[in-house]
């Protein structure tokens, strides 16, 4: 009996031992299997990390290559398209402007940017290099007997509806900007002063028609305020509505914006003036009753309760504003006829009860538009180009402004002149922001 018990005990013991050994082997096998899987995963992650590093390095190398060859890349990007004028600006290359009469097919043009010119001026090399002018460009084919300085430019259909597609590639601090435009004409603003000690210079508009192989030029009273900071702004747009674009010119000269509108007369082979503030002012300064169209059409008068009425009778526009709320003046300052310096106070036109001093206001309180602070070319709801003239509204004296008047003018085909179409008012607070934005646009605060 005892033997049987011992034998059975031993049998059970052996069975438990065998089971224990098997379980132990299973666990070790699983641990080994888990270890192998983890190791393989680690190798895969490491391999991927190395691949990413390699990809990043390759990407950087490719990016550097693109930057080093940006000019060629831009040109290759549209080489398959039909490009008529290929204009490159700011790539530090020498200015290249071919003679329209000697070109056939695609035309490559290279122009300076303001940044290019500044580098040359900072190096003190802007006038001579072994007898060769750094900034000089040969435009003898356009009628200039010596090299000239080319600054502003525009591309468009100035002489006809050419249907040609051109490209402008401009190098900036943020990269290269590429613009597709319609046009076969290059418009330039040209200045003759290049010698360091020259006292006088002449300015011209030049139109180079590469489709028809002809050149136009016109002497102008616009001038170049600075070689590399403030350039005359050139734009093209179909203002007259005949399908052919006109040249729109604006520039900050002294404290006012000057504006001009021109077209190319193909029959007479001239650049004709449609309207210009510069030439109009010079021709008509002493003519009684003369003024610019927008200022001539504007009327203003002071009213009781510190009010001013702004009017353009030609279009039925009328708006009454508060000289306090909209014009930015304190009520107390509107009561004094004479200021602390013994001079007439231009805004002292009201009594303390708000009643207007009519005789005093008639003599000293004229409401008028002052200098041109900005110019832009918006479209009306029908898509017609308008010219927006922005002028300060003053009372009595140019220093007493109460906001801005925006007057929108449009070309009238019947009388072949600009006429007033619309208007709006900006209060004093907004007008100050508009003034700053305009000065930034034109590159100066003088």
């Amino acid at each position: 009996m005892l033997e049987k018990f011992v034998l059975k005990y031993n049998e059970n013991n052996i069975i438990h031992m065998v089971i224990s050994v098997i379980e132990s082997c299973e666990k070790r096998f699983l641990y080994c299997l888990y270890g192998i899987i983890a190791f393989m995963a680690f190798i895969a992650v490491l391999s991927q990390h190395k691949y990413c590093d390699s990809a990043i390095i390759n990407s950087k190398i490719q990016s550097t290559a693109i930057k080093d060859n940006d000019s060629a890349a831009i040109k290759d990007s549209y080489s398959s398209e039909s490009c008529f004028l290929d204009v490159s600006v700011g790539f530090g290359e020498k200015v290249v402007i071919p003679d329209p009469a000697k070109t056939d097919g695609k035309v490559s043009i290279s122009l300076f940017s303001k940044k290019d010119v500044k580098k040359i001026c900072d190096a003190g090399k802007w006038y001579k290099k072994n007898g060769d002018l750094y900034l000089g460009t040969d435009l003898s084919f356009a009628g200039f007997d010596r090299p000239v300085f080319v600054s502003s430019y525009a591309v468009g259909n100035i002489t006809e509806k050419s249907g040609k597609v051109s490209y402008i590639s401009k190098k900036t601090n943020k990269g290269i900007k590429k613009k597709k435009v319609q046009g076969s004409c290059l418009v330039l603003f040209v200045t003759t002063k290049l010698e360091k000690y020259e006292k006088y210079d002449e300015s011209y508009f030049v139109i180079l028609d590469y489709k028809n192989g002809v050149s136009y030029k016109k002497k102008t009273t616009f001038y170049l305020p600075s070689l590399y900071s403030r350039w005359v702004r050139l734009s093209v747009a179909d203002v007259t509505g005949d399908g052919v674009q006109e040249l729109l010119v604006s520039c900050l000269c002294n404290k006012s914006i000057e504006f001009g509108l021109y077209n190319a007369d193909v029959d007479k082979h001239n650049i004709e003036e449609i309207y210009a503030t510069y030439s109009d002012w010079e021709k008509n300064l002493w003519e009684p009753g003369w003024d610019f169209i927008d200022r001539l059409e504007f009327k203003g008068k002071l009213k009781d309760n510190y009010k001013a009425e702004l009017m353009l009778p030609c279009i039925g526009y009328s708006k009454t504003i508060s000289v306090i709320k909209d014009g930015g003046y304190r009520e107390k300052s509107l009561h004094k006829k004479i200021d602390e310096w013994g001079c007439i106070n231009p805004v002292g036109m009201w009594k303390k009860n708000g009643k207007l001093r009519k005789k005093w206001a008639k003599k000293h309180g004229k409401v008028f538009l002052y200098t041109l602070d900005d110019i832009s070319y918006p479209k009306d709801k029908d898509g017609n180009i308008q010219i927006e003239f922005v002028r300060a509204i003053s009372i009595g004296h140019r220093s007493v402004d109460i906001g801005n008047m925006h007057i929108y003018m449009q070309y009238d085909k019947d009388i072949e002149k600009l006429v007033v179409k619309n208007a709006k008012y900006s209060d004093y607070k907004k007008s100050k922001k508009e003034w700053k934005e305009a000065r930034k646009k034109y590159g100066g605060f003088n």
Side-chain angles (χ1 to χ4, degrees), residues 344-356:
I344 294 172
N345 177 21
V347 292
M349 303 296 156
W350 289 270
K351 300 175 183 178
K352 289 184 179 180
N353 61 2
K355 291 291 184 180
L356 181 69

Side-chain angles (χ1 to χ4, degrees), residues 346-382:
V347 292
M349 303 296 156
W350 289 270
K351 300 175 183 178
K352 289 184 179 180
N353 61 2
K355 291 291 184 180
L356 181 69
R357 298 185 177 106
K358 293 183 179 180
K359 290 184 179 180
W360 189 256
K362 186 177 180 180
K363 187 175 182 180
H364 302 290
K366 181 182 179 181
V367 181
F368 63 96
L369 298 183
Y370 191 44
T371 52
L372 188 59
D373 284 346
D374 196 11
I375 196 93
S376 57
Y377 318 116
K379 291 183 179 180
D380 66 8
K381 61 181 181 180
D382 298 320

Side-chain angles (χ1 to χ4, degrees), residues 135-192:
L135 300 181
T137 302
D138 180 12
L139 293 183
S140 56
F141 58 81
F144 296 96
D145 57 6
R146 62 192 181 97
V148 295
F149 176 56
V150 177
S151 53
S152 313
Y153 68 92
V155 176
N157 291 316
I158 306 295
T159 58
E160 63 176 343
K161 302 177 189 178
S162 71
K164 296 290 186 179
V165 176
S166 297
Y167 287 85
I168 301 172
S169 302
K170 187 174 182 179
K171 192 172 184 180
T172 68
N173 293 333
K174 297 181 180 179
I176 297 174
K177 293 183 178 179
K178 187 178 70 173
K179 185 179 180 182
K180 180 180 178 180
V181 295
Q182 294 284 337
S184 58
C185 294
L186 176 68
V187 188
L188 304 171
F189 187 79
V190 171
T191 305
T192 59

Side-chain angles (χ1 to χ4, degrees), residues 81-272:
E81 298 185 46
S82 176
C83 174
F84 187 65
L85 299 184
D86 177 10
V87 183
S88 300
V89 182
F91 289 89
E93 302 168 355
K94 183 176 176 62
V95 173
V96 177
I97 303 173
D99 181 352
K102 297 180 180 179
T103 58
D104 185 21
K106 182 178 176 179
V107 181
S108 295
I109 297 165
S110 178
L111 301 173
F112 280 142
S113 66
K114 294 177 186 176
K115 191 174 180 180
D116 291 333
V117 177
K118 188 176 188 305
K119 284 182 179 179
I120 294 172
C121 290
D122 287 347
K125 301 176 180 179
W126 73 275
Y127 55 100
K128 285 268 188 179
K129 179 191 177 184
N130 298 326
D132 183 26
L133 296 169
Y134 266 83
L135 300 181
T137 302
D138 180 12
L139 293 183
S140 56
F141 58 81
F144 296 96
D145 57 6
R146 62 192 181 97
V148 295
F149 176 56
V150 177
S151 53
S152 313
Y153 68 92
V155 176
N157 291 316
I158 306 295
T159 58
E160 63 176 343
K161 302 177 189 178
S162 71
K164 296 290 186 179
V165 176
S166 297
Y167 287 85
I168 301 172
S169 302
K170 187 174 182 179
K171 192 172 184 180
T172 68
N173 293 333
K174 297 181 180 179
I176 297 174
K177 293 183 178 179
K178 187 178 70 173
K179 185 179 180 182
K180 180 180 178 180
V181 295
Q182 294 284 337
S184 58
C185 294
L186 176 68
V187 188
L188 304 171
F189 187 79
V190 171
T191 305
T192 59
K193 182 177 179 179
L194 276 173
E195 298 288 351
K196 186 175 182 181
Y197 300 106
E198 280 185 300
K199 294 182 179 179
Y200 304 103
D201 63 330
E202 294 179 342
S203 299
Y204 292 84
F205 300 126
V206 175
I207 298 176
L208 305 179
D209 183 352
Y210 284 97
K211 183 182 177 183
N212 298 300
V214 295
S215 305
Y216 303 75
K217 77 170 182 176
K218 179 181 178 63
K219 188 176 180 180
T220 176
T221 46
F222 279 89
Y223 65 91
L224 186 68
S226 168
L227 275 174
Y228 53 81
S229 62
R230 287 191 288 132
W231 285 4
V232 175
R233 294 171 67 92
L234 303 182
S235 303
V236 292
D238 181 13
V239 177
T240 59
D242 61 356
V244 179
Q245 294 176 320
E246 281 72 42
L247 172 63
L248 300 103
V249 184
S250 59
C251 182
L252 174 61
C253 301
N254 195 5
K255 297 181 180 296
S256 178
I257 305 297
E258 300 295 345
F259 167 76
L261 175 64
Y262 306 86
N263 67 354
D265 190 323
V266 179
D267 296 329
K268 296 180 180 179
H269 199 76
N270 287 329
I271 300 175
E272 300 289 343

